[in-house]
Amino acid sequence: MGLLILLLLTCAALPLASSDPNDEACLTHLSQTLRDPLKNLRNWTRSTFANPCNGFTSYLPGATCNNGRIYKLSLTNLSLQGSISPFLSNCTNLQSLDLSSNTISGPIPQDLQYLVNLAVLNLSANRLEGEIPPQITFCAYLNVIDLHDNLLTGQIPQQLGLLARLSAFDVSYNKLSGPIPASLGNRSGTLPKFNATSFEGNKDLYGYPLPPMKSKGLSVLAIVGIGLGSGLASLVLSFTGVCIWLRITEEKMAAEEGKVSQLMPDY
């Protein structure tokens, strides 16, 4: 009996399970940079961030837990605004991040490179701007990168082709430019291939597997040629007209001189 009481007292003295401090910082900063006009994340409060998981049970809508840690965030189609906090990288156990179909703006944080366990990155259908950070190549387990339907600019980082596990890639309907890296557009061996639909909708992006661009240079040359041709024709016509006018004027002057010479007396 005494032993049982001692065990109960020992268990009572143990501290209550709490979240990983990195997860708490991650969730706190993310909630500060995201705006939730429809109040879909009502339970995203500081008190919940202190203990968001109980084993595999999550107390946060959109979050999935694994052994007391946040390992999946799925906040899709919630009309969220604001930006993505770079402190999201504190959720070091995160394996899937899906913030698609919102109106989130700003850049994709370079700090996502520290999510070394990340396998799925879906930030599609937002209003994200700036360039695709090449640093996300450090997320070596990535097998899905979906960034379609944003406002991303610049070139596609060649380093992304080094992601050997990458099986789904979509950057369509952005404002990307330059050549498609061969390591993504023309993958060799057994690596998954990406077709034109992964790259379409970027008017200044070119290269395989997109169809060849129409030669803008030829059109410009044609226009310049037409302009030069019409200019030359105008010049010839103008010159011919001047010559004819001079000839007529000269003949008139000669005729007038003949008349005057006939009227003048001889000395």
Side-chain angles (χ1 to χ4, degrees):
M1 185 66 179
L3 180 60
L4 179 59
I5 294 173
L6 181 62
L7 288 173
L8 292 174
L9 290 174
T10 302
C11 292
L14 291 175
L16 294 175
S18 62
S19 73
D20 185 284
N22 288 328
D23 283 359
E24 185 175 356
C26 162
L27 297 169
T28 300
H29 284 95
L30 184 61
S31 68
Q32 291 173 349
T33 59
L34 289 179
R35 296 195 299 274
D36 178 26
L38 300 185
K39 306 300 180 185
N40 289 307
L41 304 178
R42 286 185 296 272
N43 202 33
W44 279 57
T45 60
R46 285 183 175 274
S47 58
T48 313
F49 297 155
N51 190 22
C53 298
N54 182 10
F56 294 92
T57 302
S58 169
Y59 301 120
L60 287 175
T64 305
C65 297
N66 182 15
N67 198 25
R69 295 289 310 277
I70 300 289
Y71 94 102
K72 182 178 180 181
L73 281 176
S74 181
L75 306 176
T76 66
N77 199 26
L78 297 176
S79 299
L80 298 177
Q81 302 171 0
S83 59
I84 302 174
S85 170
F87 288 93
L88 188 60
S89 60
N90 282 26
C91 285
T92 53
N93 203 48
L94 199 65
Q95 296 180 29
S96 178
L97 175 62
D98 189 347
L99 302 177
S100 62
S101 301
N102 289 291
T103 53
I104 300 172
S105 57
I108 300 174
Q110 297 180 3
D111 296 67
L112 295 185
Q113 64 180 301
Y114 301 115
L115 297 175
V116 294
N117 295 306
L118 195 65
V120 175
L121 177 63
N122 188 351
L123 306 177
S124 63
N126 279 287
R127 300 189 62 81
L128 296 172
E129 304 166 327
E131 299 186 353
I132 301 172
Q135 292 85 351
I136 61 176
T137 307
F138 290 110
C139 303
Y141 292 103
L142 273 173
N143 56 63
V144 174
I145 297 179
D146 191 352
L147 305 175
H148 81 267
D149 198 10
N150 276 287
L151 303 171
L152 299 172
T153 55
Q155 298 190 6
I156 301 173
Q158 294 188 8
Q159 298 92 323
L160 297 183
L162 301 175
L163 293 168
R165 298 171 182 261
L166 195 62
S167 59
F169 182 77
D170 193 347
V171 292
S172 60
Y173 297 98
N174 279 279
K175 297 183 177 181
L176 299 171
S177 58
I180 296 173
S183 55
L184 287 170
N186 193 16
R187 307 186 94 191
S188 58
T190 59
L191 294 175
K193 308 293 192 297
F194 308 124
N195 58 31
T197 58
S198 295
F199 305 97
E200 64 186 7
N202 296 278
K203 69 174 185 177
D204 294 321
L205 193 65
Y206 59 90
Y208 187 84
L210 289 176
M213 294 180 68
K214 294 181 180 179
S215 178
K216 296 181 179 178
L218 182 59
S219 301
V220 172
L221 286 176
I223 294 170
V224 170
I226 293 169
L228 288 175
S230 61
L232 183 59
S234 300
L235 182 61
V236 170
L237 289 172
S238 299
F239 182 77
T240 304
V242 170
C243 290
I244 293 172
W245 178 80
L246 288 173
R247 182 66 179 270
I248 294 171
T249 304
E250 186 179 357
E251 289 176 355
K252 285 183 177 180
M253 289 178 66
E256 292 293 330
E257 287 178 358
K259 290 178 181 179
V260 171
S261 61
Q262 290 175 2
L263 294 173
M264 291 196 58
D266 295 326
Y267 291 98

